[in-house]
Amino acid sequence: MIKQLPKVLSLLLYISILGACKEEKPRTVLEMFPESQFLTQKKDFAINEDSLVQVAGLACDGKNLVVSDAHSGHSYTLFDAHSGEYIAPFGVIGQGPAEIPANSYGYLSSGCFTVFNDQTGVVMKYSLDSLRSGQPNASPVCLTRYTLSGAQISRLIAIDDSTFLGAGTYQSRYQYLLFDKNSTVMDCGVDVYNAADSTFNVYTKYLANQGVLIMHPQKKLFAYSVNFSSNIDFFTIKNNKIELIESLRLADPICEPQVGKIGDNTFYSVGRTENSQTGYIQLCGTTKYVYALYSDKKVNENGWKSDTVLVFDWAGHPVKKYTLDTTAYHLAVDEERQSLFAVVKNSDDGWSIVSYAL
C-alpha cells in the first residue's frame, strides 16, 4: 500500500489540474471582456444642436441617421449619416391614418424606417429616400394592423412587408413571437426569465421583460437585451421557426411587481430597488457585430448612460470592449465608414451627437 501511495497522489493531482484547466463560465458580463480600447471623439462630424430637443434613440444604416426626438409635432428627425446635415422631421404624432401615437418605437433597415405601436397594433413604413427628395410629408405605407391575443410587444421588426418579429411576452411565457400581416402566429419561443415566477402577473411580467431588439442587416439573425439586466439572447429564424443560438443571462432584472388603484382603475408597475443595475441600455448591429451600450453600475448611481460599449459577434461570442471619452445615452454604428455615433450631453446640459472612429 505504501508503494502505491505516490501513484494515487499523482492521479489526484492530475485530476485537480484538469479541473483547474476546465474553462469556467463568466459570472458577470464584463468578465468576458478583460481588455478595453479607448476611443476619442472625431472632430469632423457635427450635428446642429438646435435640431435636437430630447433625444430618446438613434439608428444608422450607413446613409441615414435617424434620431428619435419628439418635437414640432413629429417623433423622428432624419440626418445624413456622413455629413450630419439636417434633412427632415417625420412621423406626425396623432391618431389619423398617416399619423402615429407618441412614444412609438421604430426600426431602421435598408433605407426604410418601420414604426409600430402595440396599443393600436399599427405597423407603418417610411421611405427615407422620399424624405431626402424633398417630400417631408410623404405618407407612410401601412403594413398591418395586428390583433394578437396573449401578446404584449415591447419591440417589433418587420422582417419583410408581411412577416413580423415581436419581443416582449406571449402567453405570459415566451419572449419572442413570429406572426404575419393577418395576425397569424407562425411561431413563438424562448422562455422569459421569470416565466415560472408566480409573483408576476400577465402585466407585470411584460413590464419586467421590455428591452431592445435588433436584426442583422442581411440575415435572419437577431439579438434582444432585457432592460435593467445583464441578459441578452442571440437567435435566428429558419423555416419560420425561432431557434436560440446563445443565451447570456448573467443577471436578471431586480424589480418588484406592484399593483395599485386610482379610483376604480387598477394599474400595474414594476419598481426598481436600490440594487437594480443599469445593465444593457441599447443595441445596434452591423453585418459582423452586435454593439451594446452597457453599464454594470446601479441605476440610482448611474442612470441610463455609460461609457462602455461591448462588441459581440452574432453567435453571442465576446469580441472586444470600447471605453468612450464621455458617457453616452444612445449609440449607432456606420459599418461602411467604421464610425460609432453616440448621443451625449453637452456643456449646457443639452443634447449632442458625436462620432468615433472604430
Side-chain angles (χ1 to χ4, degrees):
M1 291 295 295
I2 295 178
K3 291 183 180 180
Q4 296 296 320
L5 186 58
K7 292 183 179 180
V8 174
L9 290 175
S10 297
L11 179 60
L12 291 175
L13 179 61
Y14 177 72
I15 293 173
S16 66
I17 291 174
L18 285 179
C21 294
K22 190 176 181 179
E23 185 178 355
E24 295 183 359
K25 290 187 176 181
R27 291 171 294 177
T28 68
V29 174
L30 295 185
E31 282 184 5
M32 298 188 292
F33 301 86
E35 298 181 0
S36 180
Q37 179 180 340
F38 190 77
L39 296 183
T40 304
Q41 296 174 32
K42 295 194 297 183
K43 304 299 182 183
D44 61 346
F45 180 87
I47 282 180
N48 187 339
E49 295 174 8
D50 293 337
S51 304
L52 306 173
V53 177
Q54 183 66 40
V55 179
L58 193 65
C60 179
D61 64 0
K63 177 182 178 181
N64 303 293
L65 186 66
V66 174
V67 180
S68 177
D69 185 13
H71 65 98
S72 301
H74 296 81
S75 286
Y76 307 99
T77 308
L78 175 61
F79 296 89
D80 182 81
H82 180 55
S83 65
E85 175 189 359
Y86 175 92
I87 297 175
F90 68 100
V92 177
I93 299 172
Q95 301 292 331
E99 299 173 340
I100 59 170
N103 303 318
S104 297
Y105 288 106
Y107 190 79
L108 175 61
S109 178
S110 302
C112 292
F113 195 74
T114 304
V115 177
F116 91 101
N117 182 273
D118 195 44
Q119 291 184 336
T120 63
V122 172
V123 183
M124 296 193 298
K125 182 173 72 173
Y126 293 83
S127 169
L128 301 187
D129 285 342
S130 296
L131 295 173
R132 283 178 167 271
S133 64
Q135 303 177 49
N137 296 317
S139 296
V141 176
C142 182
L143 299 181
T144 187
R145 184 183 291 271
Y146 63 83
T147 302
L148 297 164
S149 177
Q152 296 185 89
I153 297 177
S154 169
R155 295 293 175 94
L156 178 145
I157 289 176
I159 298 174
D160 52 45
D161 286 355
S162 62
T163 310
F164 309 93
L165 176 72
T169 55
Y170 179 59
Q171 297 179 349
S172 292
R173 173 182 175 181
Y174 300 108
Q175 191 90 78
Y176 312 114
L177 173 67
L178 185 68
F179 63 98
D180 66 17
K181 64 180 181 180
N182 299 315
S183 300
T184 301
V185 175
M186 303 163 72
D187 194 30
C188 58
V190 186
D191 285 359
V192 296
Y193 78 92
N194 54 355
D197 191 337
S198 61
T199 61
F200 291 83
N201 64 22
V202 61
Y203 304 108
T204 55
K205 195 169 289 185
Y206 162 70
L207 293 173
N209 279 281
Q210 297 184 78
V212 181
L213 176 67
I214 63 170
M215 180 175 67
H216 188 285
Q218 300 169 355
K219 303 176 182 178
K220 293 181 181 179
L221 297 171
F222 305 86
Y224 183 72
S225 61
V226 175
N227 295 341
F228 304 106
S229 81
S230 292
N231 295 352
I232 182 171
D233 291 337
F234 299 84
F235 59 101
T236 185
I237 294 177
K238 294 182 179 179
N239 299 319
N240 292 329
K241 296 293 182 182
I242 297 168
E243 296 184 9
L244 186 65
I245 297 173
E246 181 64 82
S247 186
L248 299 174
R249 299 190 174 186
L250 301 181
D252 295 336
I254 300 175
C255 56
E256 298 174 346
Q258 300 169 348
V259 181
K261 273 188 172 294
I262 299 179
D264 295 330
N265 298 318
T266 303
F267 68 89
Y268 304 90
S269 64
V270 172
R272 307 298 160 190
T273 75
E274 61 180 11
N275 294 317
S276 297
Q277 71 164 145
T278 302
Y280 287 104
I281 300 169
Q282 188 178 353
L283 306 180
C284 63
T286 66
T287 57
K288 290 184 178 180
Y289 303 122
V290 171
Y291 294 80
L293 187 62
Y294 177 85
S295 173
D296 65 342
K297 296 181 174 59
K298 294 179 180 178
V299 175
N300 58 3
E301 299 172 342
N302 183 72
W304 200 243
K305 63 183 185 295
S306 179
D307 62 356
T308 300
V309 178
L310 308 178
V311 185
F312 299 89
D313 65 19
W314 283 96
H317 302 131
V319 177
K320 64 177 66 175
K321 178 177 72 173
Y322 293 115
T323 300
L324 308 180
D325 60 359
T326 188
T327 54
Y329 293 77
H330 305 279
L331 61 83
V333 173
D334 180 349
E335 183 175 24
E336 180 180 346
R337 296 182 180 88
Q338 284 297 287
S339 295
L340 183 146
F341 300 107
V343 175
V344 303
K345 286 288 188 74
N346 58 31
S347 58
D348 299 325
D349 206 34
W351 295 96
S352 297
I353 298 177
V354 299
S355 178
Y356 297 87
L358 295 174

